[in-house]
């Protein structure tokens, strides 16, 4: 039996093995074959039959035989490159000191395609650490035969070792760029500046004038202000009312169709920013392992803060497959998820890029559905949002209402906006991007604490659009009131940041987006903020109206007062009915059964939202870039599955 194969060597293989023992120059003979890479690998001692099998996989996946071999789990990366080093009688390097690698222009290209780095030493000649490719070994052998003196300056290493050195060597420059590039290049799109001078002047002048007029003429101005607030509040609900109507007329389309088996798939990158979530690591890795995509074409990066020792230890305890890479982000302000993602973006190898959270359990076919949509759409389609579905609907009233809210947003409102080619405020996870477009628009804003909504709107104003997918991602909703409030406060703070960024230059933004999309933006983001902030006032006015009706005959109430009372009542009732109608209408029957009678807590949900919104306003003033971490836990009743290194699709 051959060293790495499951079958005994053929006579042709034995002949090549015998020839290979006579010296590395026999690689030159392999270069004359029709299939150079296969011949080289057989010459290196791998089973000819196994190489033939891997060649078929490589042809199907559009990769190399070498890539398929390294992703089978049959041998380690170190064992493979050590064999090449031994064959060429060159030193093998198990570790590269990052201090010997200079952070030159173009160094980050080695993160995407690790080939070689130059190592500088204080007391001896420089060396080149290289990662040879099987298909290029005949050329390498010819070069060594022609210039044997090059051997003194060459060492062989692995892609992982080379990338680790490059990550560390460029870490200071890279993290600084991740935090400042958007602000340095497009400051009008960055939330680093909370409000501009002109915004402060306009808001301050408006509030001062409003207060002055109300004091000077309260009998006229207060009813007028009451009416304006009531009309604006009702307008904020209009978009969701339209989504309910649209939902009733929109019929679901057919199921997702798999790609033809002969289709060669591109490299797909997946990034997960994880922080202080050691308990989530086994479930996360198991969930990512179920993604239906050739392992040799997957590029999964787990992005973790360098000082998060517990999570890093949990990752190190697992034997991660070759298509996984742990990226360690150096400490740098702001300590936010978008900054961590921006740090890792330069190393994304995929034509497409998916973002997940630590607690996510994406549908295995989600990547293929996204790729099919990208392939059949024009280049203006930059992002696809998968629906997020709450799996612990029946745990308590907080999780039930959270599930209804997610159903309303991801299965009701966003699909409607996508059908009408309107801007989409993305969710913070399960986003699929064209990687080149994501880099072109500046990536994520590290200072915006709901970077997803900001990025979706920025894509739209720069000429791109987003749509939705059908393959879902499962998540667990928070069940503790304190956790829910903390998470919602961060969301409201980020939406307020986004609204301020988008309104810095309102005429420019309107020209870029169009007036309809700008109106939708204000109803969606501004309306969400306004309705949450004003809801307690509307409820108080409604209760005051009820009390007045009880104490005063209807004929004695002024027409204007009666009209305002009706508007207040309509707003309160509509707030709850729209929430229920869009949320329950977007759910399947089983979800509705799990919700049960917990829908009765909708008024409490609105009050909690209002409390979080007012906290967000204050926090934007006192601690604008603070990222309130939402703790997660593994899914209920679900033991983590073991990590499997074998090839899968």
């Amino acid at each position: 039996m051959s060293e790495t194969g499951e079958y005994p060597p053929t006579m042709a293989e034995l002949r090549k093995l015998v020839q290979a023992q006579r010296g590395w120059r026999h690689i030159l003979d392999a270069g004359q074959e029709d299939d150079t890479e296969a011949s080289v690998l057989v010459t290196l001692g791998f089973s000819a039959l196994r190489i033939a099998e891997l060649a078929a996989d490589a042809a199907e996946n559009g990769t190399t035989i070498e890539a398929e071999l390294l992703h089978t789990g049959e041998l380690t990366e170190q064992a493979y490159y050590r064999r090449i080093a031994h064959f060429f009688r060159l030193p093998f390097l198990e570790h590269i000191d990052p201090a010997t690698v200079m952070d030159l222009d173009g160094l980050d290209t080695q993160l995407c395609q690790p080939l070689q780095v130059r190592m500088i030493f204080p007391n001896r000649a420089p060396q080149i650490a290289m990662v040879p490719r099987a298909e290029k070994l005949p050329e390498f052998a010819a070069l060594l035969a022609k210039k044997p003196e090059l051997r003194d300056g060459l060492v062989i290493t692995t892609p992982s070792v080379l990338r680790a050195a490059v990550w560390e060597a460029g870490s200071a420059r890279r993290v600084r760029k991740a935090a400042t590039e958007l602000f340095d290049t497009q400051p009008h799109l960055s939330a680093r500046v909370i409000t501009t001078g002109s915004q402060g002047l306009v808001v301050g002048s408006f509030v001062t004038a409003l207060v002055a007029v109300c004091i000077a003429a309260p009998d006229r101005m207060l009813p007028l202000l009451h009416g304006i607030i009531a009309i604006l509040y009702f307008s904020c609900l209009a978009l969701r009312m339209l989504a309910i109507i649209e939902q009733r007329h929109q019929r679901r389309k057919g199921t997702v169709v798999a790609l033809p088996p002969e289709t060669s798939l591109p490299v797909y990158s997946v990034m997960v920013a994880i922080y202080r979530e050691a308990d989530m690591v086994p479930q996360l890795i198991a969930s990512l392992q179920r993604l239906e995509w050739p392992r040799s074409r997957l590029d999964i990066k787990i992005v973790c803060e360098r000082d998060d020792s517990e999570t890093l230890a949990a990752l190190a305890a697992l034997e991660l497959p070759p298509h996984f890479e742990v990226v360690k982000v150096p400490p740098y302000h702001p300590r936010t998820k978008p900054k961590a993602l921006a740090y890792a973006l330069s190393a994304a190898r995929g034509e497409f890029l998916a973002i997940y959270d630590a607690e996510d359990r994406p549908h295995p076919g989600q990547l293929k559905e996204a790729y099919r949509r990208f392939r059949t759409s024009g280049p203006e389609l930059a992002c696809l949002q998968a629906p997020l579905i709450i799996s612990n609907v029946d745990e308590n009233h907080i999780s039930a209402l959270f599930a209804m809210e997610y159903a309303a947003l991801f299965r009701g409102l966003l699909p409607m906006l996508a059908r009408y080619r309107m801007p989409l405020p993305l969710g913070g996870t399960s986003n699929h991007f064209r990687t080149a477009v994501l880099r072109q628009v500046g990536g994520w804003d590290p200072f915006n604490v709901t970077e997803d909504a900001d990025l979706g709107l920025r894509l739209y104003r720069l000429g791109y659009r987003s749509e939705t997918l059908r393959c879902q991602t499962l998540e667990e909703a928070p069940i503790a009131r304190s956790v829910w409030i903390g998470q919602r406060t961060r969301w409201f703070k980020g939406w307020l940041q986004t609204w301020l960024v988008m309104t810095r230059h309102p005429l420019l933004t309107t020209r870029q987006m169009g007036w309809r999309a700008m109106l939708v933006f204000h109803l969606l983001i501004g309306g969400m903020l306004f309705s949450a902030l004003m809801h307690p006032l509307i409820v108080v006015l409604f209760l005051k109206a009820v009390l007045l009706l009880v104490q005063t005959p209807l004929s004695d109430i002024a027409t204007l007062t009666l009209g305002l009372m009706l508007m207040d009542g309509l707003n309160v009732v509509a707030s709850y009915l729209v929430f229920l109608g869009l949320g329950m209408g977007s759910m399947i029957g089983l979800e509705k059964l799990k919700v049960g009678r917990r829908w009765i807590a909708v008024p409490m949900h609105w009050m909690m939202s209002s409390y979080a919104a007012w906290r967000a306003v204050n926090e934007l003033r006192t601690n604008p870039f603070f990222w309130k971490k939402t703790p997660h836990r593994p899914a209920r009743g679900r033991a983590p599955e073991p990590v499997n290194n074998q090839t899968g699709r």
Side-chain angles (χ1 to χ4, degrees):
M1 182 179 291
S2 62
E3 183 179 350
T4 58
E6 295 294 333
Y7 305 95
T10 63
M11 290 303 297
E13 181 184 0
L14 287 174
R15 282 197 297 272
K16 288 185 177 292
L17 285 172
V18 172
Q19 290 175 346
Q21 299 306 313
R22 297 175 185 169
W24 57 264
R25 288 180 175 80
H26 286 281
I27 288 286
L28 286 166
D29 297 332
Q32 309 302 317
E33 302 287 343
D34 292 337
D35 193 339
T36 299
E37 187 185 20
S39 302
V40 165
L41 291 171
V42 172
T43 303
L44 287 173
F46 295 99
S47 162
L49 289 175
R50 185 64 179 129
I51 294 303
E53 293 172 352
L54 293 172
D57 292 339
E60 178 182 348
N61 297 330
T63 60
T64 62
I65 305 173
E66 182 179 60
E68 296 296 330
L69 174 65
L70 290 172
H71 283 83
T72 61
E74 296 172 7
L75 82 166
T76 65
E77 189 182 67
Q78 187 179 81
Y80 174 76
Y81 288 99
R82 188 183 290 276
R83 177 180 294 198
I84 294 177
H86 177 74
F87 204 87
F88 282 90
R89 299 189 180 92
L90 289 172
F92 178 77
L93 208 57
E94 295 184 3
H95 172 74
I96 297 176
D97 183 359
T100 65
V101 179
M102 297 184 65
D103 187 20
L104 302 173
D105 290 340
L107 181 66
D108 286 357
T109 60
Q110 299 302 307
L111 295 174
C112 295
Q113 189 175 19
L115 296 175
Q116 63 179 33
V117 293
R118 181 181 175 86
M119 299 182 296
I120 307 296
F121 303 96
N123 301 319
R124 56 190 175 95
Q127 282 186 316
I128 299 294
M130 63 176 297
V131 178
R133 290 182 293 169
E135 59 186 5
K136 297 295 183 181
L137 286 183
E139 298 175 19
F140 181 57
L143 181 63
L144 289 183
K146 185 177 180 180
K147 297 182 178 181
E149 67 275 9
L150 293 177
R151 298 169 56 84
D152 297 333
L154 293 176
V155 296
I156 303 295
T157 190
T158 70
S160 297
V161 169
L162 191 147
R163 279 198 301 264
V166 171
W167 274 120
E168 186 62 29
S171 61
R173 179 257 312 162
R174 198 176 298 110
V175 74
R176 186 170 56 252
K177 178 182 177 182
T180 63
E181 184 177 33
L182 182 65
F183 180 76
D184 291 342
T185 58
Q186 303 177 85
H188 64 290
L189 298 178
S190 171
R192 183 173 178 176
V193 175
I194 309 301
T195 57
T196 63
S198 58
Q199 284 178 310
L201 177 63
V202 169
V203 173
S205 300
F206 176 77
V207 172
T208 302
L210 184 63
V211 170
V213 171
C214 287
I215 292 175
D219 294 340
R220 294 183 179 181
M221 287 306 302
L222 290 179
L224 177 61
L225 184 60
H226 184 172
I228 292 174
I229 291 174
I231 292 171
L232 288 176
Y233 189 97
F234 187 80
S235 300
C236 297
L237 302 174
L239 205 58
R240 286 168 172 76
M241 292 178 184
L242 180 61
I244 294 175
I245 297 171
E246 179 75 10
Q247 189 180 63
R248 294 181 179 276
H249 291 85
Q250 183 68 21
R251 300 180 62 182
R252 287 193 174 273
K253 297 182 180 180
T255 58
V256 175
V257 180
L259 287 170
E262 67 275 14
T263 300
S264 178
L265 300 175
V267 175
Y268 213 118
S269 290
V270 175
M271 294 204 311
V272 183
I274 181 170
Y275 182 55
R276 294 182 180 175
E277 307 225 54
D279 293 343
M280 298 300 302
V281 166
Q283 175 182 294
L284 170 65
I285 302 303
S287 297
L288 295 177
Q289 278 287 77
R290 286 193 295 274
L291 291 174
E292 295 174 353
W293 201 265
R295 300 300 181 245
S296 57
R297 306 296 273 170
L298 261 181
D299 168 39
I300 299 180
K301 300 192 186 302
I302 309 299
V303 187
C304 189
E305 296 289 335
R306 185 186 290 173
D307 55 7
D308 186 2
S309 56
E310 290 187 7
T311 304
L312 289 173
L315 289 166
L318 298 176
E319 186 181 349
L320 295 179
H323 56 286
F324 280 78
E325 181 181 14
V326 178
V327 178
K328 302 174 185 178
V329 183
Y332 199 91
H333 184 75
R335 301 290 291 268
T336 60
K337 170 186 170 183
K339 188 212 67 183
L341 293 175
Y343 179 84
L345 181 58
S346 59
R349 297 189 295 111
E351 181 182 351
F352 306 104
L353 170 66
I355 303 298
Y356 293 114
D357 281 344
E359 74 276 17
D360 286 351
R361 287 166 284 150
H363 188 287
Q366 196 176 109
L367 300 190
K368 286 193 173 182
E369 184 194 359
Y371 171 59
R372 190 187 73 255
R373 292 281 298 280
F374 279 127
R375 193 183 68 176
T376 56
S377 302
E380 73 280 358
L381 179 62
C383 179
L384 290 164
Q385 171 71 64
L388 305 182
I389 296 179
I390 299 303
S391 58
N392 61 330
V393 182
D394 56 347
E395 193 153 359
N396 64 11
H397 63 277
I398 293 179
S399 65
L401 295 175
F402 199 102
M404 291 172 61
E405 190 175 22
Y406 263 31
L409 177 63
F410 291 104
R411 288 180 273 172
L413 186 59
L414 294 188
M416 181 196 74
L417 294 175
R419 283 193 294 272
Y420 287 99
R421 293 177 173 259
M422 290 290 108
L424 267 64
L426 303 174
T429 177
S430 302
N431 314 134
H432 298 255
F433 299 97
R434 295 186 192 269
T435 309
V437 173
L438 181 60
R439 288 175 173 145
Q440 176 189 333
V441 302
W444 300 273
D445 183 355
F447 291 92
N448 192 310
V449 295
T450 52
E451 78 295 339
D452 39 16
D454 168 76
L455 181 55
L457 294 165
R458 192 189 330 145
L459 284 169
Y460 192 90
R461 69 184 293 186
L462 295 179
Y464 297 98
R465 60 186 178 86
S466 304
E467 292 184 358
T468 57
L469 296 172
R470 294 195 63 218
C471 287
Q472 77 281 357
T473 294
L474 297 180
E475 282 193 351
E476 293 254 322
I479 57 174
R481 186 176 287 105
S482 59
V483 174
W484 189 97
I485 291 291
Q487 183 187 62
R488 196 55 57 104
T489 298
R490 175 173 62 81
W491 289 0
F492 276 118
K493 182 170 65 173
W495 291 329
L496 186 53
Q497 287 177 310
T498 300
W499 188 83
L500 289 170
V501 167
M502 293 284 288
T503 55
R504 283 177 183 169
H505 306 287
L507 295 180
L508 172 63
T509 307
T510 303
R511 283 198 300 269
Q512 290 175 328
M513 299 179 66
W515 69 268
R516 289 185 181 87
M518 193 65 175
L519 177 61
V520 167
F521 156 71
H522 282 298
L523 290 176
L524 199 61
I525 302 298
M528 192 184 310
L529 291 164
F530 183 82
S531 59
L533 291 170
M534 292 293 104
H535 188 73
L537 176 61
I538 295 295
V539 171
V540 168
L541 292 172
F542 171 66
L543 294 177
K544 181 181 176 182
V546 171
L547 186 61
L548 181 63
L549 285 173
V550 170
Q551 297 177 342
T552 308
L554 191 61
S555 58
D556 294 343
I557 301 176
T559 303
L560 176 60
T561 302
L562 187 60
L564 292 174
M565 291 167 56
L566 290 173
M567 292 182 66
D568 293 335
L570 176 62
N571 279 332
V572 171
V573 173
S575 298
Y576 304 151
L577 290 183
V578 168
F579 184 95
L580 288 170
L582 190 56
M584 298 289 276
S586 301
M587 286 180 160
I588 62 173
L590 179 60
E591 289 176 297
K592 295 176 184 178
L593 288 175
K594 288 184 175 182
V595 169
R597 296 181 179 179
R598 296 184 180 92
W599 58 266
I600 203 169
V602 167
M604 182 200 70
H605 174 91
W606 268 92
M607 285 301 179
M608 289 170 59
S609 295
S610 183
Y611 173 67
W614 282 107
R615 278 189 56 179
V617 171
N618 180 64
E619 201 171 281
L620 185 68
R621 180 182 61 86
T622 60
N623 201 2
F625 311 124
F626 171 65
W627 185 282
K628 177 65 176 177
K629 179 72 182 69
T630 303
H632 300 108
R633 58 176 186 165
R636 291 183 303 158
R638 188 174 175 276
E641 299 176 13
V643 177
N644 182 4
N645 281 359
Q646 299 303 312
T647 301
R649 289 177 175 78

